[in-house]
Amino acid sequence: MTTAHMPDTSSCAQPIHVDVLIVGGGFGGMYAVHKFKQLGLSLQAFEAGSDLGGVWYWNRYPGARVDLPSIDYSYSFSSEIEQEWNWSEQYAGQPELLRYIDFVATRLDLRRHYRFNTRIRRAEWDDVQQLWSLTSEAGDVYQAPFCIMATGPLSIPKQPEFGGLEHFTGRLLHAARWPHEPVDFSGQRVGVVGTGSTGIQIVQEVGRQARELFVFQRTPSFTMPMRNTPLEPAYLAEVKRHYAGIRDVARSSPIGGVRPQSTRAFFSVTLAQRQALLEDAWKHGGLAMLGTFGDLMINEEANEQVADFVRSKIAEVVTDPAIADKLKPRGYPIFARRPCLDTDYYETYNLPHVHLVDCLQTPILSATEGGIRTAAGEFPLDALILATGYDGLTGALLALDVVGRKGCTLREKWQHGPRSHLGIMLAGFPNLFMTTGPNGPAALANIIRMSENDVDWIANAIMHLRAHDLGSMEPTHQTENEWMELVQALARHSLINKAKTWWVGSNIAGKPQGLTQFVGGFAKYREHCAAAAAHGYAGHHLEPRHQPAAAVAA
Ligand code: NAP
């Protein structure tokens, strides 16, 4: 990586004017910067961290690794980048992902458009000038007719509900705010709170290093073997020859990726055939099992049988039957929480120095000076790792003061849950765009395919406004309502509603509950995006420019 960038401490007396403001330096923000650069628009981008990378910049915890194939979890907009970059593993680790991000940023000269160490606090629409004003924490003001929030669905770490963390005298770490220098746990007693995708990756890694590891598990997750492999040069050469086709498959699939998704109904094949298909998927590794049948998220009985299959695998690996039993998820459908991929996660519990603390039976009461106190007693710790997740989907946007038309705030608009059109635009907030926002496929499809789709849609919309000398656009309330009805109608049939997760907002106290993601699949979502742009953005309120372009830019 290049060296860290200096904090933004300057305070500008006069607002800075550009065509487009972009908030966020993850995959979405980086592509937006590139796209608008290519289109010849002036822009200013912001990132709270000291460099690019988004979640991969912040999440440096041991074992952090993507759980989609690297060749799929990469940009598709540049065939040069596809050809020049070589992935070393089927599922890239966080350091390699950061190297890829650095490669792209350097290749496309993206960093000079960013203000790093700059957190935007407020975004306000000026109806007369048809401008967004963004104010940074340092008080600097930036103005542009268009604002893109590429703030990501997983940006605001969730702090646990229990108290006492301020009294803990050992080392306290949050997975989502990991230090840049390596942390050595050798010889230490370590506690990990949380067993979602993050906690599982940490446990399997730190379990090999720590003197003692205590895993504080509330809800067990279903996890399946990742079966990561190095990528051989011959295979990479093949991928590069066929990248165009690989991307076409991804774009027209329900998950925006290359994993096969069967339409076969679970009970349409015999018991022996089902068992053989599940065994195959288990041996294949990755998320293969999720794609083995087409009805796992709508047929509860089918889902339960697959859950039983995974529970039987846990019992095969974990030698202590009582521990195996505690690790078996129950009471919610498999895949209704984000499915996790692991490398020897369950095997970790066979190590004599790794202990599972069941927080369903004996909840954490508080952190103490020396460790964690649960209803079962006190656990002395040298280090405590919080893998407690995020205020997902809406957290990053609601952390800002976003003020739209007539002084209406985003917090008011979303007080009963997020409403949007396509997860990209908001009625009442002209010229404000989101990438991978709530009510799009959000967490249910490949985030890079989605970011590219959303940025392309936004760019087309902005170029349409400029070509027709229009000052602003926003979906009408009717358009937004129709989209929300569709999102909600599809969500009602999904078993995702039956688990308490960040997907439905239930991990944050007081947050409106409900599945606010488009579950109709990425390919269908793209069709809806294309339809929304058709006929000159019918379904949107388009306003003439209030002032001539020259006056705005002056
Ligand atoms: P998460 O899935 O929300 O899991 C948070 C965990 O913390 C849960 O097990 C939760 O238990 C537990 N927890 C929270 N407060 C607690 C408390 N007071 N006491 C005990 N346990 C507590 O968060 P995550 O693991 O960070 O994952 C979030 C998302 O990030 C994933 O769904 C995925 O989209 C993404 N991710 C992806 C990868 C990858 O690509 N490989 C890796 C990591 C993360 P309860 O469920 O009982 O609340």
Side-chain angles (χ1 to χ4, degrees):
M1 298 294 298
T2 58
T3 51
H5 297 253
M6 296 301 290
D8 170 36
T9 49
S10 61
S11 193
C12 311
Q14 290 294 320
I16 292 170
H17 285 268
V18 288
D19 294 323
V20 189
L21 296 167
I22 298 164
V23 185
F27 278 112
M30 285 172 63
Y31 178 49
V33 167
H34 172 66
K35 183 87 191 180
F36 289 106
K37 234 174 96 162
Q38 294 286 95
L39 291 171
L41 272 64
S42 63
L43 60 98
Q44 179 63 61
F46 308 93
E47 167 53 50
S50 65
D51 205 348
L52 298 172
V55 287
W56 300 110
Y57 167 89
W58 297 103
N59 283 256
R60 294 160 188 262
Y61 61 81
R65 184 176 291 286
V66 67
D67 60 8
L68 297 178
S70 320
I71 60 153
D72 206 12
Y73 192 78
S74 51
Y75 284 125
S76 71
F77 66 83
S78 159
S79 56
E80 290 84 5
I81 287 172
E82 284 177 339
Q83 295 303 317
E84 289 167 24
W85 179 258
N86 292 311
W87 291 108
S88 74
E89 290 182 279
Q90 190 180 14
Y91 299 96
Q94 180 271 349
E96 184 169 14
L97 286 158
L98 266 196
R99 285 197 297 278
Y100 172 71
I101 286 159
D102 176 51
F103 171 77
V104 174
T106 307
R107 179 81 169 66
L108 303 176
D109 192 16
L110 302 182
R111 284 193 179 88
R112 73 189 170 87
H113 299 282
Y114 272 90
R115 281 192 179 244
F116 291 98
N117 301 298
T118 302
R119 195 171 278 286
I120 297 300
R121 275 289 164 226
R122 186 176 173 83
E124 185 166 7
W125 172 248
D126 179 331
D127 227 355
V128 177
Q129 294 198 74
Q130 295 172 303
L131 286 176
W132 279 97
S133 286
L134 264 55
T135 310
S136 75
E137 224 161 36
D140 298 331
V141 180
Y142 304 83
Q143 292 184 326
F146 305 106
C147 176
I148 298 167
M149 294 294 185
T151 43
L154 293 167
S155 311
I156 304 289
K158 180 204 147 168
Q159 297 301 327
E161 304 81 6
F162 57 81
L165 287 167
E166 68 282 13
H167 302 306
F168 180 60
T169 52
R171 182 140 197 208
L172 180 64
L173 296 147
H174 197 298
R177 289 292 177 269
W178 202 263
H180 287 210
E181 63 283 357
V183 183
D184 184 9
F185 294 106
S186 317
Q188 298 204 347
R189 295 163 304 177
V190 182
V192 175
V193 181
T195 50
S197 306
T198 304
I200 282 174
Q201 290 189 329
I202 292 173
V203 165
Q204 66 197 17
E205 201 71 22
V206 174
R208 287 189 216 125
Q209 209 186 84
R211 170 156 64 96
E212 270 197 296
L213 177 66
F214 295 90
V215 183
F216 297 91
Q217 170 192 272
R218 196 160 59 187
T219 309
S221 297
F222 287 97
T223 167
M224 292 159 296
M226 176 176 264
R227 306 204 195 283
N228 195 14
T229 52
L231 296 183
E232 302 301 332
Y235 166 73
L236 275 180
E238 224 167 42
V239 167
K240 288 182 183 188
R241 273 204 312 281
H242 297 286
Y243 242 136
I246 290 171
R247 301 307 194 189
D248 277 350
V249 167
R251 282 190 207 102
S252 48
S253 82
I255 53 157
V258 292
R259 168 169 62 70
Q261 177 59 57
S262 172
T263 51
R264 176 200 296 124
F266 188 79
F267 291 106
S268 69
V269 293
T270 68
L271 179 61
Q273 286 166 333
R274 297 198 296 260
Q275 194 66 19
L277 286 164
L278 292 175
E279 286 290 354
D280 264 6
W282 189 263
K283 279 194 202 104
H284 184 277
L287 292 170
M289 194 167 306
L290 182 52
T292 308
F293 300 97
D295 54 351
L296 295 184
M297 296 319 289
I298 47 174
N299 184 330
E300 217 158 343
E301 209 180 318
N303 185 291
E304 181 59 14
Q305 292 206 12
V306 176
D308 257 343
F309 174 85
V310 175
R311 285 191 281 260
S312 74
K313 292 293 180 191
I314 300 172
E316 281 173 24
V317 175
V318 181
T319 49
D320 181 334
I323 302 290
D325 204 51
K326 285 183 195 303
L327 286 165
K328 288 180 190 170
R330 291 191 181 84
Y332 67 89
I334 187 168
F335 309 130
R337 277 164 80 89
R338 172 67 142 58
C340 308
L341 299 185
D342 72 273
T343 304
D344 297 342
Y345 174 69
Y346 292 121
E347 284 81 350
T348 309
Y349 291 94
N350 293 335
L351 300 172
H353 63 277
V354 175
H355 315 287
L356 183 66
V357 183
D358 182 347
C359 298
L360 288 176
Q361 262 180 8
T362 55
I364 295 176
L365 300 178
S366 69
T368 63
E369 213 174 289
I372 284 282
R373 182 180 300 129
T374 73
E378 179 138 1
F379 295 84
L381 301 171
D382 303 305
L384 176 60
I385 301 173
L386 302 176
T388 43
Y390 299 84
D391 182 355
L393 298 172
T394 56
L397 279 168
L398 290 176
L400 300 170
D401 297 324
V402 182
V403 186
R405 255 195 225 289
K406 298 183 186 139
C408 175
T409 68
L410 188 61
R411 291 192 191 108
E412 285 160 355
K413 182 178 170 83
W414 283 3
Q415 61 182 313
H416 303 300
R419 300 184 68 75
S420 73
H421 179 224
L422 301 169
I424 297 180
M425 290 204 84
L426 306 149
F429 294 76
N431 293 3
L432 183 69
F433 302 91
M434 302 177 286
T435 62
T436 67
N439 308 308
L444 305 177
N446 181 321
I447 197 136
I448 303 184
R449 291 293 73 71
M450 233 183 321
S451 299
E452 289 179 338
N453 172 80
D454 294 357
V455 169
D456 289 345
W457 193 94
I458 295 164
N460 287 336
I462 290 177
M463 295 320 275
H464 177 86
L465 294 184
R466 288 169 65 96
H468 294 85
D469 206 27
L470 294 164
S472 78
M473 76 180 276
E474 66 189 285
T476 64
H477 284 283
Q478 190 187 336
T479 297
E480 187 177 270
N481 289 343
E482 283 169 6
W483 178 251
M484 291 308 301
E485 276 165 27
L486 177 66
V487 167
Q488 285 156 4
L490 292 170
R492 269 195 288 280
H493 300 291
S494 173
L495 294 180
I496 291 176
N497 287 305
K498 299 211 165 194
K500 292 186 172 158
T501 64
W502 69 269
W503 281 357
V504 296
S506 64
N507 64 330
I508 302 290
K511 192 166 171 165
Q513 310 279 296
L515 178 55
T516 52
Q517 299 183 65
F518 177 75
V519 297
F522 181 67
K524 267 269 166 264
Y525 172 70
R526 289 183 70 227
E527 286 173 22
H528 284 290
C529 289
H535 312 298
Y537 296 86
H540 291 77
H541 178 56
L542 303 174
E543 261 192 353
R545 206 194 281 274
H546 291 173
Q547 306 171 52
V552 172

